[in-house]
Amino acid sequence: IYASGYAKLLISVVKYTPQVWANYRRKSTVGWSIGQVLCDLIGGVLSVAQLLLDSSLQSDWSGVTGNPVKFFLGNISIAFDVVFMLQHYVLYGSKEVAVADVERRGLLGPGRRED
């Protein structure tokens, strides 16, 4: 059971990293929804809050130290979500191209049409 928890932790790091890198390379967040990131952030905050609240109410912090996967999974989620929000709202927000313009250009780019 512990091995599957650590596998999930590793998979979470691996699943977020390519999107951070792709946004950085393109200097844009066009094409993906910030809504799912905000929901993921709420989930991470609530998960860590539950862990801390339960341990606090029981006056026994072994709930946090005894479940490091849940603690780190929530914090990794929060950290990546903060990076995504910084990319979307601060770093690349003012440089966004309207989605309609991207769709109008198409995949092949300007002046390149298949007939």
Side-chain angles (χ1 to χ4, degrees):
I1 299 261
Y2 289 112
S4 63
Y6 286 106
K8 182 176 181 175
L9 190 61
L10 179 66
I11 288 169
S12 291
V13 171
V14 170
K15 79 176 181 180
Y16 288 126
T17 305
Q19 186 64 53
V20 170
W21 182 248
N23 292 347
Y24 170 74
R25 262 195 1 244
R26 293 183 305 132
K27 303 288 189 247
S28 172
T29 58
V30 169
W32 61 273
S33 171
I34 192 70
Q36 70 183 20
V37 172
L38 298 175
C39 288
D40 192 44
L41 175 68
I42 291 169
V45 168
L46 290 176
S47 177
V48 172
Q50 177 194 20
L51 199 59
L52 295 174
L53 187 63
D54 285 347
S55 293
S56 173
L57 290 175
Q58 295 175 0
S59 298
D60 180 17
W61 294 98
S62 65
V64 175
T65 59
N67 197 352
V69 172
K70 182 175 182 176
F71 184 71
F72 286 123
L73 191 60
N75 282 308
I76 286 172
S77 260
I78 292 169
F80 274 102
D81 292 337
V82 167
V83 169
F84 287 136
M85 288 188 306
L86 284 172
Q87 286 182 327
H88 187 75
Y89 291 116
V90 177
L91 298 174
Y92 314 131
S94 62
K95 301 175 187 174
E96 294 294 334
V97 177
V99 174
D101 292 341
V102 172
E103 290 175 354
R104 206 173 301 124
R105 270 194 310 229
L107 295 174
L108 297 177
R112 300 178 72 190
R113 293 191 174 247
E114 276 188 29
D115 293 324

